[in-house]
Structure formats: structure tokens, C-alpha cells
Amino acid sequence: MSKIRVLPDHVSNQIAAGEVVERPASVAKELVENSIDAGATRITIEIEAGGRRLLKVSDDGEGMVHDDAILAFERHATSKIRGSDDLNAIATLGFRGEALASIASVAKVELTTQTAGSNAATRVTIDGGRMRDVKDAAHPLGTTIIVRDLFFNVPARRKFLRSEATETFHLTNLVTHYALAHPEIAFTFSNNGREVLHAGVAKDLRERAYQIFGSDFLDNLLEVDGGHPQVAHISGYVSAPRDRRTSRDSQFLFVNRRFVRDRLIGRALSEGYRSVLPHGVYPAALLFIETPLEEVDVNVHPAKTEVRFRRAAAVADAVRESVRNALASAGFVREEPEPISTAHQQAESAAVGASVGGPEFKSITADVATVKSAAEPDPLKREFNLRPDYQSPPQSKIDFASLMSSVEEALAEEADPETPGRGDAETLGHGDTGTGGDGDTVTRGHGDMEMDDVAASLRPPVAASPRPPLSASALSRVPASGLPPFNSAEKFARPVAPESLSANIRPLGQLEESFIIATDDEGLLLIDQHVAHERVLFDKYRALESERRSESQQLLVPETFDLTPAQAAVFDDLAPELERYGFELMRLSGRTVAIKATPADLPASEARNMLAELLDTVDAEKKNAAHDTLRDEIAASLACHAAIKVNMPLAPEKMRWLIDRLLQTSSPTTCPHGRPVILRLKTRDILKGFHRI
Ligand code: ADP
Ligand code: MG
């Protein structure tokens, strides 16, 4: 007897639903995409109980005639493609014709729709894939779909749903994405009867981003516009390097206005930030990639959140270069690294070693031409050209703060280490765990770890990574009792914008033997001596490396050290890269390595630490990252270990030397790890503080 049978429709639909419908946000995604494809100018999304109890999407699109409203729930029923040829150039968001069938197989669905030509609207009711009722109804032009009791007939799936707050967050995130991608459509989103987002038709992305995030967010963004229309045109906004996030959750990436999670683009974006942001720290981004339709295959995954580019490398180049150019035009990096003259190198080598406080005085007047004048207007302000009425916070801004506080409450309740973790890449209902293209170091361990990241992404950017601690005595000095508390300078001292730096910086002394106190035309400056030197050395190493002229110092007695098995696994790949920087390494028997020479500036005592640290952080993923990225990592690590430390007295000449060198670097205000190098307290703020103005 034969044993194979064709499954009934409602069973195969449920199986398909496993891929398309993972959580309420994936249902919303399909419905919103359908509304956009139907040419809607207004889309309203309402949810209750995190979308489990109710999820309603209304639009004013073209609607469906009576027969289509019924057909729409058949599997592979679509109006968007006709044959396989159409798969090569898909212009609509949908095309698989399985979303409505899948959703209707795992929920109670009611669809009401009206086209321009018909007398009455049609209402179709389907429960768990079974058609219950079709009748005439009243509805304005467009379509409303109500999805109730998601997974009512699939208890196993229901169990996987997260707390209401988590599901609500994913829904909010989803609506945010589509609202950003379609400023020409008005979006309204309400949760349990309360309106969370109301964005009217906007004239462009900037206005839409303002409606959603407010002007603070916008003020800190840099505009991206680059690439090539035949391959990929790149537009949108990215954050300045000082904005640091520990996850990619603030990255909104779109391909032909389709919301995607793409490792290639994510990685190329990070590479655009090479030398100003380290691995494991991410910029915020709203990036739109427009390619000719035939350049991209969107039929890669049922949830359509992955795409495949025909010329992937060219797209990645376009993203990286466009982002780099945006950083360069805002002054965060220089277009071309300045070749460093031999004289400078010698001065550096001599100065960096033990000779702190030595006589390497150099005038800072020589190279001022490379520093932009302070009078130049802020390119950001000019770029955004904010209208005066943009100054007050908009009404329609998503109330993220209250949303997130409810998420955090839910987290506290839900924390349950027994539950196995599910990665955040499942946001839209599929298991692409690969968001961490280039060495995501964020651990997504257990329970709702994902929500910690999500919450963090909406809070202000993270604080700087740990730095060498100040001496205990410096920190424990208690202010003399009896004095009234001073006003904190925190809100006055700000990281310095690169274009406001002039060469007219005069060092006055040191604070805690760690920060150089200086003045310039605008006020008082504090320069972190360690990170300033790190920036100087980083640029130097990168320049030397690209000219293949690294300088070594031979060790009298080679240092040996033993690799852990994990370190040994990456050592052979990393060694040639390290040798470009002046290391001479020899693998002895087994996992023992001898260091025979180190880069000129690196104290021998630091070499071992640095190697161990690098071998630990460069994992298999990064090894395969672009060479430039890996070299940046090595240069940054070298710079950090060779740089003068905090708690080190500096002679006045040494301070001037450091400031002089710093001003010539590619990015004097940001260290290779993205931290600020200089803080400024403006004379104006000092005057205000003393109530003189
Ligand atoms: P797909 O979007 O892949 O075509 P769906 O199952 O999502 O498949 O939808 C099936 C069809 O139903 C669509 O091709 C479209 O013709 C119609 N449809 C769905 N939603 C709407 C809507 N909101 N407005 C008008 N037509 C719709
Ligand atoms: Mg669809």
C-alpha cells in the first residue's frame, strides 16, 4: 500500500505559516506590505495585548473585488506576478501569494474590502483556515483586516510568544521601519487604544525621521548620498562616531525600500567606520540602498527579510564608501590619510619611548593648514537646514520612553534563566541569527536577553569602553567638607567638533597627570593624553603599514609565550598581518610562540599583553573581514599599548608636541575606539557659570 499522501490545504498552510508567521510583528509586516502594494496613502495599525488578541490594519488602497477577496486566501494566489519571468524583477513587496493563506490558517481573520467600482464592500471571515462567511458590508475605499487570537489553534507556537511588552516592541519597531521607508504614506499606530505614533504624510525621509525620533536624534546624524545608480545608490543618514551602540538595533536598512536584515550591508556599514569605531560598537543608521530590480533577488526567504545581490561586492563597496564620505565631509575622518614625513616619524619614535618629557619641541604653526578654520559653519546644521518650527518636539513622536519602561518592567517579571534564548534576529519571525556579520560581540544568552539590547538601543548611546583607571588616590580624594557643592561642569564641557579646532591651542598644565589643560580661542580644553596619543600612533601605524615601512626593535632575549588552543587557531592567519607592523614572530614547538622583535614604539613589556589580547578578540569572523578592518584593529591595539598612559607627568614641550601631532591626524577629536579626545568648556559657559552674562 502506498504511504505518501498529499496534505489537505489547511495543513499545508499551517506548515507554511511556520515560516511566514512567527510572531505578531511578522503578521503586521505582511499586512502592511500588502497595504503599501495596494497603493495606500494612509495605513492604520491597531494592536491589543501585544498583537495576540487583536491586530488590525486598515488602508485606503485599491481594495479587492468580491471574488478576489475570497481568492486572496488561497495559497499562491497573488495579483503581483504572473509567471516565473516576473521573479527576476520584483517591484512589489509581496509576490509569494502565501501570506494571507498562512495567517488565516493560524488565527481568526476578518477582511473587509471595497474597490472604486463596486456598490458594496465584501467581508470574508476565516477561522483557522476554514472559510466561515462571505457577505456584503459597508467600508470606504480600501481594506481592513482584523486578525484575532493568533495561534489559537497552534498551542505550541503560542507558547513561544514573548511577553506583551516584547511583542509590542517588535511591532513598534516594524511600524517604525515601514514608516521610515515610506514618508509619502501617513501612518498611525495604536497600542491598547492609545496612539503611539501618528505621522502625517511627510515630504521626505528627513521630515519623517523628525516625526518619529525628534530633532535631537536628527541633529546628530550625517547625511549619506553616494554609490552608483547602476549598481547601488546609497542614501540616508548615519550617526557621528561619538554615538556608540552595543547592538545593531538602531540600524534601519532597506533595499529598494524593503526592510532587510543583511549581514553584507551591516558589515560594510561598520567598515565605513573603520578607525573611528571599534568592533563590537555600532553606529545608528537609516540607510536606503536602491538597485535596479534585476540586480537583487528577494525570493530568498519566506519572510523576505533577506536578499541576495547579483554584485554583492560592488554593493558593499558602495555602502562603505558612501558612509566613509559622509564621515569625511563632516570632518570625522579625512578623505585621504596624510602621508607623514620622515621627520615627523623620527620625532614620534623618539618621543614615544621612555623619553617622556624629552626635548622634542616642535612648533605647532607649521601644519595648521590641515585644520579647518573655526569660522566654517557646522556642516550638519547647514545640511539639515532645520526650519524654525522644527525646534519644538513634535507631537507625533513615538513615546519610546514609556514604551521602554513598560518593556523593562516586563523584563523584570519575565527573567527566567531556564528558558533557552532566541536571538533578536527573529524579530520578524525567522531565524536569521546572522546579524553579527563582523564579530558581533553582544552575547544573546538566555531568556529575554534580546530585550536588553533592544532597550539599550533606544536609550542614549553607551558610555565609553573601559579605560586605564586613574590612581586610587585621585579618585578617593574627597571634597573638603563644609564647602557648598560646586555646579557640575558635566553639562557644559562637551566633546569638540573637529571643524572648530584651530591650531591656536596653548597647553597650561595637567589635571591628575592624565588630562592636558589647554586654552584656545573659544575657551578651555581638556585633552585626554592617552587617547590623544593613541590617535597619533594609530594614524602613524596605518601610514607606515600602507607604505610597508614598519620599524622594528630586536629583543635581546626573545620572549616566549604559550597560546591557548583558540589563540593558536587564529595565530597563523594573524602572524603575517602583525609582521607588517614590525613584529617578528616564530612559532616554536606546539603552541609556543617566540617574539623576536616588536614594533619600534611598543615597550617590550607590553608586546605579550597586546598579542594575547588581539588573538583573543580576533575570532574566526573577523579574520575573514576586510583586510583594512583587521589592520585597523591591529593598529588600534598597538596604538593603545604603546601610547603614553594616564597618571604620567608630561613636560610642557611634550604636551605641545602631542597637541601638534594630534592636530595633524585624520581625526583629532575621536580616538580609534570612538571616544572623544578633547572636551571644551566654552568661555561663554564659564561666563554664564559666574553669572557674568
Ligand atoms: P502577496 O502579497 O504575496 O501577493 P498575499 O497573500 O499577501 O500575497 O496577498 C494575496 C493578494 O491579496 C495580493 O496579491 C493582493 O492582490 C490581495 N491583497 C492583499 N491585501 C490587500 C490589500 N490590503 N489591498 C488590496 N489587495 C490586497
Ligand atoms: Mg503580501
Side-chain angles (χ1 to χ4, degrees), residues 414-556:
E414 245 191 285
D416 174 11
E418 303 299 327
T419 323
R422 319 191 80 207
D424 81 331
E426 296 167 286
T427 308
L428 292 174
H430 73 93
D432 168 19
T433 46
T435 50
D438 52 355
D440 234 351
T441 50
V442 182
T443 328
R444 308 193 185 284
H446 66 81
D448 264 351
M449 188 64 185
E450 53 180 293
M451 286 310 298
D452 281 341
D453 299 338
V454 168
S457 78
L458 295 175
R459 281 192 221 107
V462 292
S465 52
R467 57 181 67 204
L470 296 177
S471 71
S473 72
L475 295 176
S476 62
R477 241 167 264 157
V478 192
S481 57
L483 280 180
F486 297 112
N487 280 334
S488 164
E490 203 182 351
K491 57 179 185 292
F492 293 123
R494 293 175 207 288
V496 171
E499 61 273 10
S500 75
L501 275 186
S502 73
N504 205 7
I505 300 179
R506 295 170 299 277
L508 302 179
Q510 263 177 308
L511 177 69
E512 303 288 3
E513 298 185 338
S514 301
F515 307 101
I516 299 171
I517 306 170
T519 59
D520 71 355
D521 300 341
E522 292 193 39
L524 202 60
L525 297 171
L526 282 174
I527 302 166
D528 184 323
Q529 65 194 41
H530 173 71
V531 294
H533 198 199
E534 232 179 296
R535 168 50 75 189
V536 170
L537 289 172
F538 176 84
D539 279 35
K540 177 191 158 184
Y541 287 130
R542 282 305 262 134
L544 283 180
E545 186 275 333
S546 59
E547 290 169 24
R548 295 177 179 273
R549 286 194 306 101
S550 41
E551 302 157 2
S552 297
Q553 54 189 358
Q554 295 291 324
L555 302 189
L556 282 178

Side-chain angles (χ1 to χ4, degrees), residues 30-31 33-34 37 80 93-100 304:
E30 296 297 338
L31 299 183
E33 287 188 349
N34 281 345
D37 283 344
K80 299 172 192 174
L93 292 167
F95 58 90
R96 301 174 63 100
E98 58 185 357
L100 288 184
K304 299 167 289 172

Side-chain angles (χ1 to χ4, degrees), residues 404-419:
M404 290 326 298
S405 66
S406 64
V407 168
E408 279 161 36
E409 275 164 30
L411 273 180
E413 281 165 27
E414 245 191 285
D416 174 11
E418 303 299 327
T419 323

Side-chain angles (χ1 to χ4, degrees), residues 589-600:
S589 60
R591 296 202 304 265
T592 308
V593 166
I595 311 174
K596 292 168 68 186
T598 61

